[in-house]
Amino acid sequence: MRVVVKVGTSTLAHSTGLLNIRHVENLCKVLSDIKNSGIELALVSSGAIGVGQGKLSLKERPSDLPTTQAAAAVGQCELMYTYDKMFGEYNHTVGQVLVTASDIEEETRRDNFINTMVRLMQLGALPIINENDTVATDEIVIGDNDTLGAVVAKAIGAELLIILSDVEGLYDKNPNRNPDAKLLHLVEEITQEHYDAAEGSVSKLGTGGMVTKLKAAEIAGANGCETIIANGNDPSILYDILEGKQVGTRFLAKKRNN
Ligand code: GLU
């Protein structure tokens, strides 16, 4: 089984932008264990800009492009250093894969990307993917890692995309404004109603919100890959997901042709 796990900045970092060591440590431990069980994993990790912001002592997320890109350069380094160290404790090797939209859109580059990803997994290494934020500008940007997660899942033919976030999943209305909002456990087909319910939920540290997660679930679903959105505060939730327990919101996929 091939699974893509996407983890957002709000799970990886505190609101200060500094790493949430407990979350990252638990995540690395659980993912290592899941890998040991024979599941092929790829991790799409945000956090470069958020962690760079913390490390450069910037008071808030930068708004201009050069500072954003500088923060990403610093934060990506810190992230990979931490992943390398923590996965290393469980005897796992990580590989950094940075992509931009054009790497996925252009056929030869996409083939190279897929070949590298597959080879990394064959070699037992864990690919950790992020957008190459230091060179991606508005015109060529994928923009958010929910979409990147779906793009990666499609490229490597994953069966499951798990988006870990700071929310439980998709609600029938915006839970910030409606205390009686109910968590949807299963979405068979994404409709405009789901988008309306998702409107207005944005993350402070990262870029995505529920809308980008729904779009990601649509891309994944169209390619035969299920998506589960769940709260990543306790990464052991990944065990429940893989054991088929009801957690978060599960989006069914269209049937695969192969
Ligand atoms: N690539 C961005 C980063 O690493 C994250 C984008 C997102 O939050 O979706 O900071």
Side-chain angles (χ1 to χ4, degrees), residues 21-36:
I21 295 170
R22 182 172 43 170
H23 281 180
V24 179
E25 241 169 18
N26 286 340
L27 179 74
C28 294
K29 184 175 171 184
V30 173
L31 288 177
S32 294
D33 197 23
I34 289 172
K35 234 171 108 43
N36 285 351

Side-chain angles (χ1 to χ4, degrees), residues 9 45-50 130-131 133 143-146 206-208:
T9 309
S45 173
S46 301
I49 299 167
N130 197 356
E131 182 146 24
D133 295 312
D144 68 87
N145 277 7
D146 297 323
T207 50

Side-chain angles (χ1 to χ4, degrees), residues 43-45 76 95-106 109-117 120 127-137 140-145 147-153 155-156:
L43 176 63
V44 173
S45 173
Q76 182 66 24
Q96 171 182 262
V97 182
L98 297 178
V99 289
T100 55
S102 47
D103 297 318
I104 307 292
E105 280 153 17
E106 209 262 308
R109 283 155 77 173
R110 183 176 57 242
D111 286 348
N112 288 334
F113 162 70
I114 296 171
N115 291 342
T116 307
M117 289 285 296
L120 276 169
I128 302 186
I129 307 109
N130 197 356
E131 182 146 24
N132 194 352
D133 295 312
T134 52
V135 294
T137 53
I140 56 158
V141 82
I142 296 172
D144 68 87
N145 277 7
T147 309
L148 180 61
V151 166
V152 170
I156 64 169

Side-chain angles (χ1 to χ4, degrees), residues 163-181:
I163 300 182
L164 294 180
S165 176
D166 54 359
V167 290
E168 303 302 316
L170 177 69
Y171 287 81
D172 60 350
K173 38 193 163 182
N174 188 330
N176 299 330
R177 289 195 293 259
N178 304 282
D180 62 333

Side-chain angles (χ1 to χ4, degrees), residues 131-243:
E131 182 146 24
N132 194 352
D133 295 312
T134 52
V135 294
T137 53
D138 283 351
E139 303 77 47
I140 56 158
V141 82
I142 296 172
D144 68 87
N145 277 7
D146 297 323
T147 309
L148 180 61
V151 166
V152 170
K154 174 181 171 187
I156 64 169
E159 278 115 302
L160 180 62
L161 167 66
I162 302 173
I163 300 182
L164 294 180
S165 176
D166 54 359
V167 290
E168 303 302 316
L170 177 69
Y171 287 81
D172 60 350
K173 38 193 163 182
N174 188 330
N176 299 330
R177 289 195 293 259
N178 304 282
D180 62 333
K182 284 192 195 61
L183 181 68
L184 301 174
H185 291 294
L186 180 70
V187 173
E188 288 183 32
E189 199 175 343
I190 298 171
T191 63
Q192 186 55 44
E193 260 174 51
H194 296 119
Y195 278 106
D196 293 344
E199 209 56 59
S201 78
V202 279
S203 143
K204 276 198 208 71
L205 272 180
T207 50
M210 196 44 82
V211 171
T212 59
K213 290 174 182 46
L214 282 181
K215 288 190 179 146
E218 275 205 275
I219 298 172
N223 291 283
C225 174
E226 274 195 10
T227 299
I228 293 181
I229 300 173
N231 193 325
N233 273 348
D234 177 7
S236 58
I237 200 168
L238 289 166
Y239 291 124
D240 295 339
I241 292 174
L242 293 169
E243 283 162 15

